[in-house]
Amino acid sequence: MRHEKAARLLELARRLAASAEGLTLDEMSAVMQVSRRTVERMRDAVREAFPQMEEIADPPTVRFRIPSGLDGIFQAPTAEEFAALRAAAEHYRQSGATARAAALSALESKVLSAIRAGVRRRLAPDMEALLEAETMAVHPGPRPFEDEAVLGAVREAIVSLQRLRFLYDGGSTPGREREVTPYGLLFGRSNYLVAAESGSSPGEPRNWRLDRIRDVRVVPLPASRPADFSLAAYAARSFGIYQDAVEEVVLHILPHGAEEALGWRFHATQALERQADGSVIARFRAAGMRELAWHLFTWGDKIRILAPERLRTQMTEELAAAARAHGAP
């Protein structure tokens, strides 16, 4: 029990050392999942162990941080953490995300080089055993495009608040030069730049497939996304990547699919309602009806689409096309 308490205090100290602006008591309570009174006692105990902890006025509250970081003796990673890092890099590599795989592998090398040789020797057998005993299933699908030159230019433009100019082999006029204000990157089955084209509706972003972008360069013209734009909210409003009109979706999951649906995340805005007959009603707001129809096909006869009509039409059209392709009447 004493060891567990010490580990919890060390975890709080790490959080305080990792935060540039510091944490309030309420934030500490949330991340440590303890009451306000308990986190006050934990803060006092951390202050005794790390007297360099600072208090920063942030009216109407106070923030706490450990500005100089923690000594390496407190920071030795575990075999499980290294195994998770390497597994994530391998998952990226197998799915075609080579740039992010390389970034994680470089991070692993930097961390390993910073710890003592004796610690590395102790970690090696456990890491090897975990890596041999765990693997990740690779799901079929497109391999996402990750060109380091393209990603580097996009990230440079985002950080420096400048525009991007490139040739785009997509849209109604393939090969035309585009100038955009970058808003962010969406990684998924395919990778996209979210950006607003110069001359388009003010602040209205589009998704640009990274594998169709070439001759990209940063243009020294000021560009910043609107202050009220949230990339997370933009991505959450769609089912998958496709962005179109947001619809009220209502799905009826029949009783033989209900238990699976209750543990399923269809969308970030979903609400699930159990019915008296054992079925489930799922409601959420989303765009991207084609991609949603593709997903719902995998549920077979477990789901019926109640709304919107556009989704029902999309589903019947996709089923008809598949049937024609296989010679079915």
Side-chain angles (χ1 to χ4, degrees), residues 10 37 130 166 252 297 313:
L10 183 54
R37 184 180 296 275
L130 287 172
F166 52 80
H252 184 203
F297 178 78
T313 301

Side-chain angles (χ1 to χ4, degrees), residues 155-171:
R155 286 168 172 155
E156 179 186 347
I158 290 172
V159 171
S160 62
L161 302 179
Q162 298 185 96
R163 296 184 190 176
L164 276 173
R165 194 173 289 162
F166 52 80
L167 299 179
Y168 191 64
D169 295 325

Side-chain angles (χ1 to χ4, degrees), residues 250-262 266 272-282 296 299-306:
V250 183
L251 306 175
H252 184 203
I253 300 96
L254 301 181
H256 60 290
E259 286 304 316
E260 184 178 359
L262 289 170
F266 293 97
L272 302 179
E273 306 165 8
R274 280 187 178 271
Q275 304 299 300
D277 64 354
S279 64
V280 172
I281 297 293
L296 294 180
W299 285 77
D301 66 348
K302 298 175 184 177
I303 285 183
R304 292 175 183 166
I305 299 168
L306 301 185

Side-chain angles (χ1 to χ4, degrees), residues 59-215:
T61 186
V62 177
R63 292 184 173 274
F64 302 86
R65 68 179 181 185
I66 299 177
S68 54
L70 303 184
D71 293 337
I73 190 173
F74 299 111
Q75 299 292 75
T78 65
E80 290 80 4
E81 290 167 341
F82 271 120
L85 182 61
R86 191 173 297 179
E90 184 58 27
H91 176 67
Y92 276 142
R93 190 172 292 110
Q94 291 183 12
S95 64
T98 54
R100 283 174 289 169
L104 288 184
S105 296
L107 174 61
E108 180 188 351
S109 296
K110 290 175 182 177
V111 175
L112 280 170
S113 66
I115 62 179
R116 294 185 179 91
V119 176
R120 288 201 302 271
R121 285 193 295 271
R122 288 197 302 273
L123 287 172
D126 290 344
M127 285 175 58
E128 201 63 37
L130 287 172
L131 290 169
E132 288 181 2
E134 301 175 0
T135 190
M136 301 185 74
V138 178
H139 298 285
R143 293 174 63 84
F145 170 87
E146 287 201 5
D147 183 290
E148 292 192 34
V150 173
L151 287 176
V154 171
R155 286 168 172 155
E156 179 186 347
I158 290 172
V159 171
S160 62
L161 302 179
Q162 298 185 96
R163 296 184 190 176
L164 276 173
R165 194 173 289 162
F166 52 80
L167 299 179
Y168 191 64
D169 295 325
S172 57
T173 54
R176 183 164 69 86
E177 185 175 71
R178 312 296 182 106
E179 186 176 293
V180 304
T181 295
Y183 285 17
L185 290 161
L186 289 178
F187 294 109
R189 290 169 60 87
S190 293
N191 295 335
Y192 292 83
L193 163 67
V194 179
E197 187 170 13
S198 301
S200 64
S201 302
E204 185 61 32
R206 284 181 52 194
N207 293 346
W208 309 80
R209 276 182 51 166
L210 292 185
D211 59 341
R212 295 178 180 174
I213 291 176
R214 57 186 173 89
D215 298 339

